[in-house]
Short mmCIF file of all heavy atoms in Angstrom, two decimals:
data_model
loop_
_atom_site.label_atom_id
_atom_site.label_comp_id
_atom_site.label_asym_id
_atom_site.label_seq_id
_atom_site.Cartn_x
_atom_site.Cartn_y
_atom_site.Cartn_z
N THR A 58 -109.94 -165.20 -26.05
CA THR A 58 -110.06 -165.35 -27.48
C THR A 58 -108.75 -165.92 -28.02
O THR A 58 -107.83 -166.22 -27.27
CB THR A 58 -110.36 -163.99 -28.15
OG1 THR A 58 -109.26 -163.14 -27.95
CG2 THR A 58 -111.63 -163.38 -27.62
N LYS A 59 -108.67 -165.99 -29.30
CA LYS A 59 -107.50 -166.58 -29.93
C LYS A 59 -106.22 -165.75 -29.73
O LYS A 59 -105.15 -166.29 -29.58
CB LYS A 59 -107.77 -166.76 -31.42
CG LYS A 59 -106.70 -167.48 -32.16
CD LYS A 59 -107.09 -167.68 -33.61
CE LYS A 59 -105.99 -168.39 -34.38
NZ LYS A 59 -106.30 -168.54 -35.79
N HIS A 60 -106.35 -164.43 -29.69
CA HIS A 60 -105.17 -163.57 -29.63
C HIS A 60 -105.01 -162.79 -28.33
O HIS A 60 -103.97 -162.16 -28.12
CB HIS A 60 -105.18 -162.57 -30.79
CG HIS A 60 -105.15 -163.22 -32.13
ND1 HIS A 60 -104.03 -163.80 -32.64
CD2 HIS A 60 -106.13 -163.42 -33.05
CE1 HIS A 60 -104.29 -164.30 -33.83
NE2 HIS A 60 -105.56 -164.09 -34.09
N THR A 61 -106.01 -162.76 -27.46
CA THR A 61 -105.92 -162.00 -26.21
C THR A 61 -106.17 -162.91 -25.01
O THR A 61 -106.87 -163.91 -25.11
CB THR A 61 -106.92 -160.84 -26.17
OG1 THR A 61 -108.23 -161.38 -26.27
CG2 THR A 61 -106.67 -159.87 -27.29
N MET A 62 -105.58 -162.53 -23.87
CA MET A 62 -105.78 -163.29 -22.64
C MET A 62 -105.69 -162.34 -21.45
O MET A 62 -104.83 -161.46 -21.42
CB MET A 62 -104.73 -164.38 -22.50
CG MET A 62 -104.94 -165.23 -21.27
SD MET A 62 -103.79 -166.59 -21.12
CE MET A 62 -102.32 -165.74 -20.61
N PHE A 63 -106.57 -162.51 -20.49
CA PHE A 63 -106.55 -161.76 -19.23
C PHE A 63 -106.37 -162.78 -18.12
O PHE A 63 -107.13 -163.75 -18.03
CB PHE A 63 -107.83 -160.96 -19.05
CG PHE A 63 -107.83 -160.12 -17.81
CD1 PHE A 63 -106.97 -159.06 -17.69
CD2 PHE A 63 -108.68 -160.41 -16.77
CE1 PHE A 63 -106.95 -158.28 -16.54
CE2 PHE A 63 -108.68 -159.65 -15.62
CZ PHE A 63 -107.81 -158.57 -15.51
N HIS A 64 -105.36 -162.57 -17.27
CA HIS A 64 -105.01 -163.57 -16.27
C HIS A 64 -104.82 -162.87 -14.92
O HIS A 64 -104.10 -161.87 -14.84
CB HIS A 64 -103.70 -164.25 -16.70
CG HIS A 64 -103.33 -165.43 -15.90
ND1 HIS A 64 -103.96 -166.65 -16.03
CD2 HIS A 64 -102.39 -165.58 -14.95
CE1 HIS A 64 -103.40 -167.51 -15.20
NE2 HIS A 64 -102.46 -166.88 -14.53
N VAL A 65 -105.45 -163.39 -13.86
CA VAL A 65 -105.33 -162.83 -12.51
C VAL A 65 -104.88 -163.95 -11.57
O VAL A 65 -105.45 -165.04 -11.59
CB VAL A 65 -106.66 -162.24 -12.02
CG1 VAL A 65 -106.53 -161.73 -10.60
CG2 VAL A 65 -107.13 -161.14 -12.94
N GLU A 66 -103.85 -163.67 -10.77
CA GLU A 66 -103.35 -164.63 -9.80
C GLU A 66 -103.23 -163.95 -8.44
O GLU A 66 -102.95 -162.76 -8.37
CB GLU A 66 -101.97 -165.14 -10.18
CG GLU A 66 -101.92 -165.97 -11.41
CD GLU A 66 -100.50 -166.42 -11.72
OE1 GLU A 66 -99.56 -165.64 -11.50
OE2 GLU A 66 -100.36 -167.56 -12.16
N GLY A 67 -103.43 -164.71 -7.39
CA GLY A 67 -103.26 -164.18 -6.05
C GLY A 67 -102.96 -165.30 -5.08
O GLY A 67 -103.42 -166.42 -5.25
N GLU A 68 -102.18 -165.00 -4.08
CA GLU A 68 -101.86 -165.98 -3.06
C GLU A 68 -101.50 -165.24 -1.78
O GLU A 68 -101.13 -164.07 -1.81
CB GLU A 68 -100.71 -166.87 -3.50
CG GLU A 68 -99.49 -166.11 -3.94
CD GLU A 68 -98.54 -166.97 -4.73
OE1 GLU A 68 -98.98 -167.66 -5.65
OE2 GLU A 68 -97.36 -166.92 -4.40
N GLY A 69 -101.63 -165.93 -0.69
CA GLY A 69 -101.32 -165.29 0.58
C GLY A 69 -101.17 -166.30 1.70
O GLY A 69 -101.52 -167.47 1.56
N PHE A 70 -100.65 -165.82 2.81
CA PHE A 70 -100.42 -166.65 3.98
C PHE A 70 -100.56 -165.77 5.21
O PHE A 70 -99.96 -164.68 5.25
CB PHE A 70 -99.01 -167.26 3.91
CG PHE A 70 -98.74 -168.25 5.00
CD1 PHE A 70 -99.24 -169.53 4.92
CD2 PHE A 70 -97.98 -167.88 6.09
CE1 PHE A 70 -98.98 -170.44 5.92
CE2 PHE A 70 -97.72 -168.78 7.10
CZ PHE A 70 -98.22 -170.08 7.01
N ALA A 71 -101.35 -166.20 6.19
CA ALA A 71 -101.56 -165.37 7.37
C ALA A 71 -101.93 -166.23 8.58
O ALA A 71 -102.55 -167.28 8.44
CB ALA A 71 -102.66 -164.36 7.12
N PHE A 72 -101.52 -165.75 9.73
CA PHE A 72 -101.97 -166.26 11.03
C PHE A 72 -102.64 -165.10 11.74
O PHE A 72 -102.08 -163.99 11.76
CB PHE A 72 -100.80 -166.76 11.89
CG PHE A 72 -100.29 -168.11 11.49
CD1 PHE A 72 -99.00 -168.25 11.00
CD2 PHE A 72 -101.09 -169.22 11.62
CE1 PHE A 72 -98.52 -169.48 10.65
CE2 PHE A 72 -100.61 -170.47 11.26
CZ PHE A 72 -99.32 -170.60 10.77
N PRO A 73 -103.80 -165.28 12.36
CA PRO A 73 -104.44 -164.18 13.09
C PRO A 73 -103.51 -163.63 14.18
O PRO A 73 -102.90 -164.38 14.93
CB PRO A 73 -105.68 -164.82 13.69
CG PRO A 73 -105.96 -166.00 12.83
CD PRO A 73 -104.63 -166.49 12.35
N HIS A 74 -103.38 -162.31 14.25
CA HIS A 74 -102.56 -161.59 15.22
C HIS A 74 -101.06 -161.88 15.06
O HIS A 74 -100.30 -161.70 15.99
CB HIS A 74 -103.00 -161.88 16.65
CG HIS A 74 -104.45 -161.66 16.86
ND1 HIS A 74 -105.04 -160.40 16.81
CD2 HIS A 74 -105.48 -162.53 17.09
CE1 HIS A 74 -106.34 -160.51 17.02
NE2 HIS A 74 -106.63 -161.79 17.18
N HIS A 75 -100.66 -162.36 13.90
CA HIS A 75 -99.25 -162.61 13.61
C HIS A 75 -98.94 -162.05 12.22
O HIS A 75 -99.63 -161.18 11.74
CB HIS A 75 -98.93 -164.11 13.70
CG HIS A 75 -99.00 -164.64 15.08
ND1 HIS A 75 -98.04 -164.39 16.04
CD2 HIS A 75 -99.93 -165.41 15.69
CE1 HIS A 75 -98.37 -164.99 17.17
NE2 HIS A 75 -99.53 -165.61 16.99
N SER A 76 -97.92 -162.58 11.57
CA SER A 76 -97.49 -162.02 10.29
C SER A 76 -98.43 -162.38 9.14
O SER A 76 -99.16 -163.37 9.19
CB SER A 76 -96.08 -162.48 9.97
OG SER A 76 -96.05 -163.88 9.89
N VAL A 77 -98.38 -161.53 8.09
CA VAL A 77 -99.21 -161.68 6.90
C VAL A 77 -98.32 -161.44 5.68
O VAL A 77 -97.48 -160.56 5.69
CB VAL A 77 -100.36 -160.64 6.89
CG1 VAL A 77 -101.13 -160.68 5.59
CG2 VAL A 77 -101.29 -160.86 8.06
N MET A 78 -98.55 -162.21 4.63
CA MET A 78 -97.86 -161.98 3.37
C MET A 78 -98.80 -162.34 2.23
O MET A 78 -99.33 -163.45 2.19
CB MET A 78 -96.59 -162.81 3.27
CG MET A 78 -95.79 -162.54 2.06
SD MET A 78 -94.12 -163.05 2.35
CE MET A 78 -93.34 -162.32 0.96
N THR A 79 -99.03 -161.39 1.31
CA THR A 79 -99.87 -161.63 0.15
C THR A 79 -99.16 -161.13 -1.10
O THR A 79 -98.36 -160.21 -1.04
CB THR A 79 -101.24 -160.94 0.27
OG1 THR A 79 -101.03 -159.54 0.41
CG2 THR A 79 -102.04 -161.46 1.43
N GLU A 80 -99.50 -161.77 -2.22
CA GLU A 80 -98.90 -161.42 -3.49
C GLU A 80 -99.94 -161.65 -4.57
O GLU A 80 -100.74 -162.58 -4.50
CB GLU A 80 -97.69 -162.33 -3.73
CG GLU A 80 -97.01 -162.12 -5.03
CD GLU A 80 -95.87 -163.11 -5.23
OE1 GLU A 80 -95.72 -164.04 -4.44
OE2 GLU A 80 -95.15 -162.94 -6.21
N GLY A 81 -99.95 -160.78 -5.58
CA GLY A 81 -100.91 -160.95 -6.66
C GLY A 81 -100.47 -160.20 -7.90
O GLY A 81 -99.62 -159.33 -7.86
N ASN A 82 -101.05 -160.61 -9.03
CA ASN A 82 -100.79 -159.90 -10.26
C ASN A 82 -101.96 -160.09 -11.22
O ASN A 82 -102.70 -161.05 -11.12
CB ASN A 82 -99.46 -160.32 -10.91
CG ASN A 82 -99.45 -161.75 -11.38
OD1 ASN A 82 -100.38 -162.21 -12.00
ND2 ASN A 82 -98.38 -162.45 -11.09
N ALA A 83 -102.11 -159.13 -12.10
CA ALA A 83 -103.11 -159.17 -13.16
C ALA A 83 -102.38 -158.85 -14.46
O ALA A 83 -101.64 -157.87 -14.54
CB ALA A 83 -104.22 -158.17 -12.92
N THR A 84 -102.58 -159.69 -15.48
CA THR A 84 -101.86 -159.55 -16.73
C THR A 84 -102.82 -159.61 -17.90
O THR A 84 -103.71 -160.46 -17.95
CB THR A 84 -100.82 -160.68 -16.90
OG1 THR A 84 -99.98 -160.72 -15.77
CG2 THR A 84 -99.99 -160.50 -18.14
N PHE A 85 -102.64 -158.70 -18.84
CA PHE A 85 -103.34 -158.73 -20.12
C PHE A 85 -102.30 -158.96 -21.20
O PHE A 85 -101.27 -158.29 -21.22
CB PHE A 85 -104.08 -157.41 -20.37
CG PHE A 85 -104.73 -157.35 -21.72
CD1 PHE A 85 -105.91 -158.03 -21.95
CD2 PHE A 85 -104.14 -156.66 -22.75
CE1 PHE A 85 -106.50 -158.00 -23.19
CE2 PHE A 85 -104.72 -156.61 -24.00
CZ PHE A 85 -105.91 -157.29 -24.23
N SER A 86 -102.54 -159.93 -22.06
CA SER A 86 -101.58 -160.19 -23.14
C SER A 86 -102.29 -160.25 -24.48
O SER A 86 -103.43 -160.70 -24.58
CB SER A 86 -100.80 -161.47 -22.88
OG SER A 86 -101.66 -162.58 -22.85
N TRP A 87 -101.57 -159.82 -25.49
CA TRP A 87 -102.05 -159.84 -26.86
C TRP A 87 -100.98 -160.52 -27.71
O TRP A 87 -99.81 -160.15 -27.64
CB TRP A 87 -102.30 -158.42 -27.36
CG TRP A 87 -102.74 -158.37 -28.78
CD1 TRP A 87 -103.97 -158.68 -29.26
CD2 TRP A 87 -101.96 -157.99 -29.91
NE1 TRP A 87 -104.00 -158.52 -30.62
CE2 TRP A 87 -102.77 -158.08 -31.05
CE3 TRP A 87 -100.64 -157.58 -30.07
CZ2 TRP A 87 -102.32 -157.79 -32.32
CZ3 TRP A 87 -100.20 -157.28 -31.33
CH2 TRP A 87 -101.03 -157.38 -32.43
N ARG A 88 -101.40 -161.53 -28.47
CA ARG A 88 -100.46 -162.33 -29.25
C ARG A 88 -100.75 -162.21 -30.74
O ARG A 88 -101.91 -162.31 -31.17
CB ARG A 88 -100.53 -163.78 -28.82
CG ARG A 88 -99.49 -164.65 -29.47
CD ARG A 88 -99.48 -166.01 -28.85
NE ARG A 88 -98.47 -166.84 -29.48
CZ ARG A 88 -98.19 -168.05 -29.12
NH1 ARG A 88 -98.85 -168.61 -28.12
NH2 ARG A 88 -97.27 -168.73 -29.74
N HIS A 89 -99.69 -162.01 -31.52
CA HIS A 89 -99.78 -161.99 -32.98
C HIS A 89 -98.67 -162.88 -33.52
O HIS A 89 -97.49 -162.57 -33.32
CB HIS A 89 -99.65 -160.57 -33.51
CG HIS A 89 -99.73 -160.48 -34.99
ND1 HIS A 89 -100.89 -160.71 -35.68
CD2 HIS A 89 -98.79 -160.21 -35.92
CE1 HIS A 89 -100.66 -160.58 -36.97
NE2 HIS A 89 -99.38 -160.28 -37.13
N GLN A 90 -99.03 -163.97 -34.15
CA GLN A 90 -98.10 -164.99 -34.65
C GLN A 90 -97.21 -165.47 -33.51
O GLN A 90 -97.71 -166.09 -32.58
CB GLN A 90 -97.33 -164.47 -35.85
CG GLN A 90 -98.22 -164.23 -37.05
CD GLN A 90 -97.47 -163.65 -38.21
OE1 GLN A 90 -96.32 -163.24 -38.11
NE2 GLN A 90 -98.14 -163.59 -39.36
N ASN A 91 -95.91 -165.20 -33.55
CA ASN A 91 -95.04 -165.69 -32.48
C ASN A 91 -94.53 -164.58 -31.56
O ASN A 91 -93.58 -164.76 -30.82
CB ASN A 91 -93.86 -166.48 -33.06
CG ASN A 91 -93.00 -165.65 -33.98
OD1 ASN A 91 -93.39 -164.57 -34.39
ND2 ASN A 91 -91.83 -166.16 -34.30
N LEU A 92 -95.16 -163.41 -31.58
CA LEU A 92 -94.79 -162.30 -30.70
C LEU A 92 -95.96 -161.97 -29.78
O LEU A 92 -97.11 -161.91 -30.21
CB LEU A 92 -94.44 -161.06 -31.53
CG LEU A 92 -93.92 -159.85 -30.77
CD1 LEU A 92 -92.59 -160.18 -30.10
CD2 LEU A 92 -93.76 -158.67 -31.70
N GLU A 93 -95.67 -161.78 -28.49
CA GLU A 93 -96.70 -161.51 -27.49
C GLU A 93 -96.35 -160.25 -26.71
O GLU A 93 -95.21 -160.08 -26.27
CB GLU A 93 -96.83 -162.70 -26.55
CG GLU A 93 -97.94 -162.57 -25.55
CD GLU A 93 -98.12 -163.82 -24.71
OE1 GLU A 93 -97.15 -164.58 -24.55
OE2 GLU A 93 -99.22 -164.02 -24.21
N LEU A 94 -97.31 -159.37 -26.53
CA LEU A 94 -97.17 -158.16 -25.72
C LEU A 94 -97.91 -158.37 -24.41
O LEU A 94 -99.07 -158.75 -24.41
CB LEU A 94 -97.74 -156.95 -26.46
CG LEU A 94 -97.88 -155.65 -25.67
CD1 LEU A 94 -96.50 -155.14 -25.30
CD2 LEU A 94 -98.65 -154.63 -26.47
N LEU A 95 -97.23 -158.12 -23.28
CA LEU A 95 -97.81 -158.29 -21.96
C LEU A 95 -97.87 -156.95 -21.24
O LEU A 95 -96.93 -156.17 -21.32
CB LEU A 95 -96.95 -159.23 -21.11
CG LEU A 95 -96.75 -160.62 -21.66
CD1 LEU A 95 -95.34 -161.06 -21.44
CD2 LEU A 95 -97.71 -161.54 -21.00
N MET A 96 -98.97 -156.70 -20.54
CA MET A 96 -99.13 -155.51 -19.71
C MET A 96 -99.83 -155.94 -18.43
O MET A 96 -100.70 -156.81 -18.48
CB MET A 96 -100.01 -154.47 -20.40
CG MET A 96 -99.49 -153.96 -21.70
SD MET A 96 -100.67 -152.86 -22.45
CE MET A 96 -101.42 -153.98 -23.60
N GLY A 97 -99.46 -155.33 -17.33
CA GLY A 97 -100.13 -155.72 -16.10
C GLY A 97 -99.65 -154.95 -14.89
O GLY A 97 -98.94 -153.96 -14.99
N VAL A 98 -100.04 -155.48 -13.74
CA VAL A 98 -99.67 -154.88 -12.46
C VAL A 98 -99.37 -155.99 -11.46
O VAL A 98 -100.01 -157.05 -11.49
CB VAL A 98 -100.80 -153.94 -11.95
CG1 VAL A 98 -102.07 -154.70 -11.67
CG2 VAL A 98 -100.36 -153.17 -10.74
N LYS A 99 -98.35 -155.78 -10.62
CA LYS A 99 -97.98 -156.72 -9.57
C LYS A 99 -98.10 -156.04 -8.22
O LYS A 99 -97.87 -154.84 -8.10
CB LYS A 99 -96.55 -157.22 -9.76
CG LYS A 99 -96.38 -158.07 -10.97
CD LYS A 99 -94.99 -158.66 -11.03
CE LYS A 99 -94.91 -159.56 -12.24
NZ LYS A 99 -94.26 -160.80 -11.96
N MET A 100 -98.44 -156.81 -7.18
CA MET A 100 -98.63 -156.26 -5.85
C MET A 100 -98.05 -157.21 -4.82
O MET A 100 -98.17 -158.43 -4.95
CB MET A 100 -100.13 -156.08 -5.58
CG MET A 100 -100.46 -155.39 -4.27
SD MET A 100 -100.62 -156.42 -2.80
CE MET A 100 -101.85 -157.58 -3.23
N LEU A 101 -97.38 -156.65 -3.81
CA LEU A 101 -96.84 -157.41 -2.69
C LEU A 101 -97.19 -156.67 -1.40
O LEU A 101 -96.98 -155.46 -1.30
CB LEU A 101 -95.32 -157.56 -2.80
CG LEU A 101 -94.62 -158.19 -1.59
CD1 LEU A 101 -95.00 -159.65 -1.46
CD2 LEU A 101 -93.13 -158.03 -1.71
N HIS A 102 -97.73 -157.39 -0.42
CA HIS A 102 -98.08 -156.81 0.87
C HIS A 102 -97.53 -157.72 1.96
O HIS A 102 -97.63 -158.94 1.87
CB HIS A 102 -99.59 -156.68 1.04
CG HIS A 102 -100.01 -156.28 2.41
ND1 HIS A 102 -99.89 -154.99 2.88
CD2 HIS A 102 -100.50 -157.01 3.44
CE1 HIS A 102 -100.32 -154.95 4.13
NE2 HIS A 102 -100.68 -156.16 4.50
N PHE A 103 -96.95 -157.11 2.98
CA PHE A 103 -96.48 -157.90 4.12
C PHE A 103 -96.72 -157.13 5.41
O PHE A 103 -96.83 -155.91 5.42
CB PHE A 103 -95.00 -158.26 3.99
CG PHE A 103 -94.08 -157.13 4.30
CD1 PHE A 103 -93.57 -156.97 5.57
CD2 PHE A 103 -93.73 -156.21 3.33
CE1 PHE A 103 -92.72 -155.92 5.87
CE2 PHE A 103 -92.89 -155.16 3.62
CZ PHE A 103 -92.38 -155.01 4.89
N LYS A 104 -96.83 -157.88 6.48
CA LYS A 104 -96.95 -157.31 7.82
C LYS A 104 -96.26 -158.27 8.77
O LYS A 104 -96.55 -159.47 8.76
CB LYS A 104 -98.42 -157.17 8.20
CG LYS A 104 -98.62 -156.63 9.62
CD LYS A 104 -100.09 -156.59 10.00
CE LYS A 104 -100.49 -157.97 10.44
NZ LYS A 104 -101.75 -158.07 11.12
N THR A 105 -95.34 -157.76 9.58
CA THR A 105 -94.69 -158.60 10.58
C THR A 105 -95.62 -158.73 11.79
O THR A 105 -96.63 -158.05 11.88
CB THR A 105 -93.33 -158.03 10.99
OG1 THR A 105 -93.53 -156.75 11.56
CG2 THR A 105 -92.39 -157.93 9.80
N SER A 106 -95.25 -159.57 12.70
CA SER A 106 -96.08 -159.80 13.88
C SER A 106 -96.17 -158.54 14.73
O SER A 106 -95.16 -157.95 15.11
CB SER A 106 -95.48 -160.93 14.72
OG SER A 106 -96.24 -161.11 15.88
N PRO A 107 -97.40 -158.08 15.06
CA PRO A 107 -97.54 -156.89 15.90
C PRO A 107 -97.09 -157.11 17.34
O PRO A 107 -96.95 -156.17 18.10
CB PRO A 107 -99.04 -156.57 15.84
CG PRO A 107 -99.70 -157.79 15.37
CD PRO A 107 -98.68 -158.59 14.61
N GLN A 108 -96.85 -158.36 17.71
CA GLN A 108 -96.39 -158.66 19.06
C GLN A 108 -94.88 -158.50 19.22
O GLN A 108 -94.37 -158.55 20.31
CB GLN A 108 -96.81 -160.08 19.43
CG GLN A 108 -98.31 -160.26 19.39
CD GLN A 108 -98.72 -161.71 19.50
OE1 GLN A 108 -97.89 -162.60 19.51
NE2 GLN A 108 -100.03 -161.94 19.57
N LYS A 109 -94.17 -158.29 18.12
CA LYS A 109 -92.71 -158.12 18.15
C LYS A 109 -92.35 -156.64 18.28
O LYS A 109 -93.13 -155.76 17.95
CB LYS A 109 -92.06 -158.68 16.88
CG LYS A 109 -92.33 -160.14 16.65
CD LYS A 109 -91.47 -160.96 17.56
CE LYS A 109 -91.71 -162.43 17.25
NZ LYS A 109 -90.88 -163.30 17.99
N GLU A 110 -91.15 -156.38 18.71
CA GLU A 110 -90.68 -155.00 18.86
C GLU A 110 -90.46 -154.34 17.49
O GLU A 110 -90.70 -153.16 17.32
CB GLU A 110 -89.37 -155.00 19.64
CG GLU A 110 -88.92 -153.63 20.06
CD GLU A 110 -87.71 -153.72 20.96
OE1 GLU A 110 -87.72 -154.52 21.91
OE2 GLU A 110 -86.75 -152.98 20.70
N GLU A 111 -90.01 -155.09 16.50
CA GLU A 111 -89.74 -154.58 15.15
C GLU A 111 -90.97 -154.81 14.27
O GLU A 111 -90.97 -155.67 13.40
CB GLU A 111 -88.53 -155.27 14.52
CG GLU A 111 -87.25 -155.14 15.30
CD GLU A 111 -87.10 -156.22 16.36
OE1 GLU A 111 -87.82 -157.24 16.30
OE2 GLU A 111 -86.30 -156.04 17.27
N TYR A 112 -92.03 -154.06 14.47
CA TYR A 112 -93.28 -154.20 13.71
C TYR A 112 -93.19 -153.38 12.43
O TYR A 112 -92.90 -152.19 12.47
CB TYR A 112 -94.46 -153.74 14.56
CG TYR A 112 -95.79 -153.77 13.87
CD1 TYR A 112 -96.34 -154.97 13.46
CD2 TYR A 112 -96.49 -152.60 13.61
CE1 TYR A 112 -97.56 -155.02 12.83
CE2 TYR A 112 -97.71 -152.63 12.98
CZ TYR A 112 -98.24 -153.84 12.59
OH TYR A 112 -99.45 -153.87 11.96
N MET A 113 -93.43 -154.02 11.28
CA MET A 113 -93.36 -153.35 9.99
C MET A 113 -94.54 -153.76 9.11
O MET A 113 -94.99 -154.90 9.17
CB MET A 113 -92.06 -153.71 9.26
CG MET A 113 -90.82 -153.20 9.94
SD MET A 113 -89.30 -153.76 9.14
CE MET A 113 -89.54 -153.29 7.47
N VAL A 114 -95.01 -152.81 8.29
CA VAL A 114 -96.06 -153.07 7.31
C VAL A 114 -95.62 -152.42 6.00
O VAL A 114 -95.10 -151.30 6.00
CB VAL A 114 -97.42 -152.46 7.76
CG1 VAL A 114 -98.47 -152.65 6.69
CG2 VAL A 114 -97.86 -153.05 9.06
N GLY A 115 -95.81 -153.14 4.92
CA GLY A 115 -95.43 -152.58 3.62
C GLY A 115 -96.29 -153.12 2.50
O GLY A 115 -96.70 -154.28 2.53
N THR A 116 -96.57 -152.26 1.53
CA THR A 116 -97.31 -152.66 0.33
C THR A 116 -96.65 -152.00 -0.87
O THR A 116 -96.44 -150.80 -0.87
CB THR A 116 -98.79 -152.23 0.40
OG1 THR A 116 -99.37 -152.80 1.57
CG2 THR A 116 -99.55 -152.69 -0.82
N TRP A 117 -96.33 -152.80 -1.88
CA TRP A 117 -95.74 -152.30 -3.11
C TRP A 117 -96.62 -152.72 -4.28
O TRP A 117 -97.03 -153.87 -4.38
CB TRP A 117 -94.34 -152.85 -3.33
CG TRP A 117 -93.34 -152.28 -2.39
CD1 TRP A 117 -92.71 -151.10 -2.49
CD2 TRP A 117 -92.88 -152.88 -1.18
NE1 TRP A 117 -91.86 -150.91 -1.43
CE2 TRP A 117 -91.96 -151.99 -0.60
CE3 TRP A 117 -93.16 -154.07 -0.52
CZ2 TRP A 117 -91.30 -152.26 0.58
CZ3 TRP A 117 -92.51 -154.34 0.65
CH2 TRP A 117 -91.60 -153.43 1.21
N THR A 118 -96.87 -151.79 -5.16
CA THR A 118 -97.63 -152.04 -6.38
C THR A 118 -96.85 -151.44 -7.54
O THR A 118 -96.38 -150.31 -7.45
CB THR A 118 -99.02 -151.39 -6.30
OG1 THR A 118 -99.68 -151.87 -5.12
CG2 THR A 118 -99.86 -151.77 -7.50
N SER A 119 -96.75 -152.21 -8.62
CA SER A 119 -95.96 -151.73 -9.75
C SER A 119 -96.53 -152.23 -11.08
O SER A 119 -96.84 -153.42 -11.20
CB SER A 119 -94.52 -152.22 -9.60
OG SER A 119 -93.77 -151.87 -10.72
N PRO A 120 -96.66 -151.35 -12.06
CA PRO A 120 -97.07 -151.80 -13.40
C PRO A 120 -95.87 -152.38 -14.15
O PRO A 120 -94.72 -152.09 -13.82
CB PRO A 120 -97.56 -150.53 -14.07
CG PRO A 120 -96.80 -149.45 -13.40
CD PRO A 120 -96.58 -149.91 -11.98
N PHE A 121 -96.14 -153.21 -15.15
CA PHE A 121 -95.07 -153.75 -15.97
C PHE A 121 -95.53 -153.94 -17.41
O PHE A 121 -96.73 -154.05 -17.68
CB PHE A 121 -94.54 -155.08 -15.40
CG PHE A 121 -95.51 -156.21 -15.50
CD1 PHE A 121 -95.53 -157.05 -16.60
CD2 PHE A 121 -96.41 -156.46 -14.48
CE1 PHE A 121 -96.42 -158.10 -16.69
CE2 PHE A 121 -97.30 -157.50 -14.55
CZ PHE A 121 -97.30 -158.33 -15.66
N VAL A 122 -94.57 -153.95 -18.31
CA VAL A 122 -94.80 -154.20 -19.73
C VAL A 122 -93.70 -155.14 -20.19
O VAL A 122 -92.56 -155.02 -19.76
CB VAL A 122 -94.74 -152.89 -20.55
CG1 VAL A 122 -94.88 -153.17 -22.04
CG2 VAL A 122 -95.80 -151.92 -20.10
N GLY A 123 -94.05 -156.09 -21.06
CA GLY A 123 -93.04 -157.02 -21.53
C GLY A 123 -93.39 -157.58 -22.90
O GLY A 123 -94.52 -157.44 -23.39
N PHE A 124 -92.40 -158.21 -23.51
CA PHE A 124 -92.57 -158.88 -24.80
C PHE A 124 -92.09 -160.31 -24.67
O PHE A 124 -91.14 -160.58 -23.95
CB PHE A 124 -91.73 -158.19 -25.89
CG PHE A 124 -92.24 -156.84 -26.27
CD1 PHE A 124 -91.69 -155.70 -25.73
CD2 PHE A 124 -93.27 -156.72 -27.18
CE1 PHE A 124 -92.14 -154.45 -26.08
CE2 PHE A 124 -93.75 -155.48 -27.54
CZ PHE A 124 -93.19 -154.35 -26.99
N ARG A 125 -92.75 -161.21 -25.37
CA ARG A 125 -92.31 -162.60 -25.47
C ARG A 125 -92.23 -162.99 -26.94
O ARG A 125 -93.08 -162.60 -27.73
CB ARG A 125 -93.29 -163.55 -24.79
CG ARG A 125 -93.17 -163.63 -23.33
CD ARG A 125 -94.01 -164.77 -22.80
NE ARG A 125 -94.05 -164.67 -21.36
CZ ARG A 125 -95.12 -164.90 -20.62
NH1 ARG A 125 -96.23 -165.27 -21.19
NH2 ARG A 125 -95.07 -164.78 -19.33
N TRP A 126 -91.23 -163.78 -27.24
CA TRP A 126 -91.11 -164.29 -28.59
C TRP A 126 -91.09 -165.80 -28.52
O TRP A 126 -90.29 -166.40 -27.78
CB TRP A 126 -89.80 -163.79 -29.22
CG TRP A 126 -89.58 -164.32 -30.60
CD1 TRP A 126 -90.38 -164.15 -31.68
CD2 TRP A 126 -88.50 -165.12 -31.03
NE1 TRP A 126 -89.86 -164.78 -32.76
CE2 TRP A 126 -88.69 -165.41 -32.39
CE3 TRP A 126 -87.36 -165.63 -30.41
CZ2 TRP A 126 -87.81 -166.17 -33.13
CZ3 TRP A 126 -86.50 -166.39 -31.15
CH2 TRP A 126 -86.73 -166.65 -32.49
N TYR A 127 -92.02 -166.45 -29.21
CA TYR A 127 -92.13 -167.90 -29.25
C TYR A 127 -91.51 -168.40 -30.55
O TYR A 127 -91.83 -167.91 -31.61
CB TYR A 127 -93.59 -168.33 -29.20
CG TYR A 127 -94.30 -167.93 -27.93
CD1 TYR A 127 -95.05 -166.77 -27.87
CD2 TYR A 127 -94.19 -168.71 -26.79
CE1 TYR A 127 -95.69 -166.40 -26.71
CE2 TYR A 127 -94.82 -168.35 -25.63
CZ TYR A 127 -95.58 -167.18 -25.60
OH TYR A 127 -96.20 -166.83 -24.44
N PHE A 128 -90.60 -169.36 -30.44
CA PHE A 128 -89.99 -169.90 -31.66
C PHE A 128 -90.29 -171.37 -31.80
O PHE A 128 -90.78 -172.02 -30.95
CB PHE A 128 -88.48 -169.66 -31.68
CG PHE A 128 -87.75 -170.20 -30.48
CD1 PHE A 128 -87.20 -171.46 -30.50
CD2 PHE A 128 -87.65 -169.46 -29.32
CE1 PHE A 128 -86.54 -171.95 -29.40
CE2 PHE A 128 -86.98 -169.92 -28.21
CZ PHE A 128 -86.41 -171.19 -28.25
#
């Protein structure tokens, strides 16, 4: 609509039986005149190659809030 927006992004890179890396976010924003309020969540996932000695897997998810001012 004119004052609200919902935006989802995602990207990733992987090789079968090797490393994986994905990233994504979902954002909801509300705009009034030249001020915008943003709310959303970000996610990062990675996995190193299981064939290596230093095998690691991690996933982080975090909410965020922000303001933008357009001049």
